Amino acid sequence: MQVHTRVDDVGDSVVLSVDGPVDLASVGHLHDDLRRTVRRHPGAVIVVDVDAVTVLDDAGLGVLLGAAATARDGGGDLVVVCTRPALHERLVRTRFDRAVDVRSSIA
């Protein structure tokens, strides 16, 4: 199974919705889509919605961290939206939430 992404403008936010497994097999696709989104929207806050992610392994967390660094280098930022308790707990347990802002809504 492959990861799918979609970019939408929601109000003033650029939202990249991620659907499917984010693991070693699919992480390259997510990396490319994140890089493309950050480059197309320099200085913007990119919101990554991970609610439809079925698996998020360490490689996926690394890609999200790298995209956040790239966005910050360009004067923007990256935030993650996650409302699923189990996935949110993983983000807290790995201390991902200390490096990247994790929110419960896009607003």
Side-chain angles (χ1 to χ4, degrees), residues 10-28:
V10 177
D12 293 336
S13 300
V14 176
V15 179
L16 178 79
S17 299
V18 184
D19 184 1
V22 178
D23 56 15
L24 193 55
S26 65
V27 77

Side-chain angles (χ1 to χ4, degrees), residues 32-66:
D32 293 345
D33 288 352
L34 279 166
R35 183 181 58 194
R36 187 177 310 110
T37 302
V38 168
R39 286 186 179 168
R40 286 185 180 162
H41 304 280
V45 175
I46 307 299
V47 178
V48 180
D49 181 352
V50 297
D51 274 345
V53 169
T54 55
V55 173
L56 181 61
D57 72 4
D58 291 345
L61 292 175
V63 166
L64 290 170
L65 287 169

Side-chain angles (χ1 to χ4, degrees), residues 52-93:
V53 169
T54 55
V55 173
L56 181 61
D57 72 4
D58 291 345
L61 292 175
V63 166
L64 290 170
L65 287 169
T70 301
R72 290 172 186 154
D73 286 347
D77 204 356
L78 183 138
V79 299
V80 170
V81 171
C82 178
T83 62
R84 291 185 30 227
L87 185 52
H88 187 269
E89 174 59 29
R90 174 157 170 67
L91 298 175
V92 171
R93 189 176 62 251

